[in-house]
Amino acid sequence: MKDMLYMKILFAERPHARVKSINTSHAQSAPGVIAVYTAQDVPVNEYGLQIPDQPVLCGLVHPNLIPI
């Protein structure tokens, strides 16, 4: 479709590792990239069926601000 945008999700290579930093410069400079989102760009980053305690994107988790 003309002018359609596509989304790519990059999953962590190590699911239980602590993310100390994220460098998005290569993704942002790739041809055709419109936007790159991280946890800092998402105002509400927690979800869950009973308790919203699972992060959508890796980053700081509210309310305890524990890096994951």
Side-chain angles (χ1 to χ4, degrees):
M1 235 182 205
K2 185 178 185 229
D3 297 327
M4 179 180 270
L5 296 176
Y6 295 90
M7 185 171 95
K8 170 70 176 169
I9 298 173
L10 178 63
F11 292 99
E13 294 176 6
R14 295 180 177 90
H16 297 286
R18 292 190 185 270
V19 176
K20 294 183 178 182
S21 66
I22 298 174
N23 182 349
T24 60
S25 62
H26 290 325
Q28 291 170 333
S29 65
V33 171
I34 303 298
V36 176
Y37 295 103
T38 66
Q40 293 176 337
D41 303 307
V42 181
V44 178
N45 191 33
E46 297 85 26
Y47 76 97
L49 296 176
Q50 300 293 324
I51 301 170
D53 62 346
Q54 299 296 312
V56 176
L57 300 171
C58 292
L60 296 178
V61 178
H62 178 76
N64 299 324
L65 298 179
I66 302 168
I68 60 167

